[in-house]
């Protein structure tokens, strides 16, 4: 089995959360930032980040040049063609 880790920069994760929570959950920027700092980052560090070292496919960018992307696409093609 393959495990995939999508290695998204912290800044991008935070920006996405700010947009989502402000627009879809009617939260304030201050409350989102506070939760992100006190809950999201520590939980990421404890539970999500350790999975990176256990993953055999790591995607840094969804681009055709990214090694992880290429490996994942090859695995998908193999599954489809088998």
């Amino acid at each position: 089995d393959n495990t995939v880790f999508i290695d998204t920069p912290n800044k991008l994760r935070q920006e996405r959360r700010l947009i989502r929570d402000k627009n879809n959950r009617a939260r304030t920027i201050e409350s989102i930032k506070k939760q992100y700092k006190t809950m999201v980052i520590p939980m990421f560090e404890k539970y999500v980040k350790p999975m990176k070292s256990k993953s055999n496919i790591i995607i840094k960018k969804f681009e055709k040049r990214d090694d992880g992307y290429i490996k994942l696409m090859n695995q998908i093609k193999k599954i489809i063609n088998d």
Side-chain angles (χ1 to χ4, degrees):
D1 289 342
N2 287 302
T3 54
V4 178
F5 186 91
I6 300 175
D7 195 9
T8 308
N10 181 57
K11 183 178 179 179
L12 180 57
R13 292 192 311 267
Q14 186 176 21
E15 288 171 0
R16 288 175 176 173
R17 181 174 287 260
L18 283 167
I19 292 167
R20 183 198 69 191
D21 287 4
K22 184 174 180 274
N23 295 336
N24 300 339
R25 299 180 180 174
R27 295 184 58 205
T28 66
I29 298 294
E30 295 78 24
S31 72
I32 300 166
K33 286 183 177 181
K34 181 180 178 184
Q35 181 191 35
Y36 194 84
K37 183 178 180 181
T38 61
M39 296 295 295
V40 176
I41 291 175
M43 294 299 111
F44 173 83
E45 294 292 327
K46 184 173 182 177
Y47 297 109
V48 178
K49 190 175 180 180
M51 297 309 297
K52 182 177 179 179
S53 64
K54 298 176 183 182
S55 299
N56 59 342
I57 298 175
I58 299 171
I59 297 176
K60 295 181 185 226
K61 295 182 181 180
F62 278 99
E63 296 178 351
K64 292 182 180 182
R65 299 183 314 266
D66 183 84
D67 291 338
Y69 178 86
I70 293 166
K71 189 173 182 180
L72 179 61
M73 291 297 105
N74 288 336
Q75 290 294 321
I76 291 169
K77 288 174 187 175
K78 182 180 177 188
I79 292 167
I80 291 170
N81 293 324
D82 282 350

